[in-house]
Amino acid sequence: MAQQLTQAERDAALAKLPDWQVAEGRDAIRRTFVFNDFNQAFGFMARAALVAEKMDHHPDWSNVYKTVDVTLSTHDAGGLTERDIALAEAMDRIAEVG
Amino acid sequence: MAQQLTQAERDAALAKLPDWQVAEGRDAIRRTFVFNDFNQAFGFMARAALVAEKMDHHPDWSNVYKTVDVTLSTHDAGGLTERDIALAEAMDRIAEVG
């Protein structure tokens, strides 16, 4: 099972994820993705869903038209783990490709 | 442009949508769909997204693993319209088919 990140691991991981912020009130990270329209936003979600399902690690996320708000945390571990970092990196890559 | 529903129209529409509730603090309706797993939840979202895009009317929704929480309102009209009712009915049909 994934272990919670140490402070050093967390600092190193977040340095590689400049668009993500530590969520308020939860040991989690959060990013709001803004696309051009719903087609692009849901296209991102569809690609990210396939990656998440393959990783067996799923985001908490919401969508309003062209905006997708994502929160990542590892429920089993009670906080942030390397699985969240891996999914965040994958989502960043998907959003860049568009 | 879609007009806000009258009280009589609203009552008649909600009677046909027993699984939907009036959202708190907004002129909107809301339903929480619970599926068996993420595959089924996102499958529902993918089908609903295609319908929403075709209707050019989009949900506010969030997903956590097997749960999809949907809020429908017509931003342009400042409240509930027939377009929300149509999308709610379509989502109910999609969720039933599974």
Side-chain angles (χ1 to χ4, degrees):
Chain A
M1 193 174 100
Q3 300 286 320
Q4 277 191 52
L5 298 179
T6 64
Q7 189 62 50
E9 289 167 338
R10 175 182 310 249
D11 292 346
L14 291 176
K16 291 188 297 180
L17 296 169
D19 295 317
W20 293 76
Q21 296 182 318
V22 175
E24 280 186 39
R26 291 183 60 181
D27 187 22
I29 54 174
R30 181 174 176 173
R31 179 175 175 186
T32 299
F33 295 87
V34 182
F35 299 95
N36 291 325
D37 53 26
F38 179 77
N39 178 302
Q40 213 174 75
F42 199 82
F44 163 79
M45 291 181 78
R47 295 196 62 207
L50 297 181
V51 170
E53 185 72 345
K54 194 166 185 179
M55 295 173 74
D56 195 20
H57 188 56
H58 303 89
D60 295 359
W61 52 0
S62 61
N63 160 241
V64 178
Y65 195 55
K66 65 180 182 177
T67 299
V68 181
D69 192 61
V70 180
T71 301
L72 301 178
S73 185
T74 303
H75 297 268
D76 292 348
L80 208 60
T81 71
E82 63 191 7
R83 304 180 72 198
D84 302 305
I85 305 305
L87 184 52
E89 288 175 337
M91 286 181 147
D92 280 355
R93 280 194 297 273
I94 292 167
E96 272 170 34
V97 177
Chain B
M1 194 173 99
Q3 300 285 319
Q4 277 191 52
L5 298 180
T6 64
Q7 189 62 50
E9 289 168 338
R10 176 183 310 250
D11 291 346
L14 290 176
K16 292 189 297 180
L17 297 169
D19 296 317
W20 293 76
Q21 299 182 316
V22 175
E24 282 185 38
R26 290 183 62 180
D27 187 21
I29 54 174
R30 181 173 174 173
R31 179 175 176 187
T32 300
F33 295 88
V34 181
F35 299 95
N36 291 325
D37 54 25
F38 179 77
N39 178 303
Q40 213 173 74
F42 199 81
F44 163 79
M45 292 181 76
R47 294 196 62 209
L50 297 182
V51 170
E53 185 73 346
K54 195 166 185 179
M55 294 173 74
D56 196 21
H57 187 56
H58 303 89
D60 295 359
W61 52 359
S62 61
N63 160 242
V64 179
Y65 194 55
K66 65 180 181 177
T67 299
V68 181
D69 193 61
V70 181
T71 300
L72 302 178
S73 186
T74 303
H75 297 269
D76 292 349
L80 207 59
T81 70
E82 63 189 9
R83 304 180 72 197
D84 303 304
I85 304 305
L87 184 52
E89 288 175 338
M91 286 180 148
D92 280 355
R93 280 194 296 274
I94 293 167
E96 272 171 33
V97 177

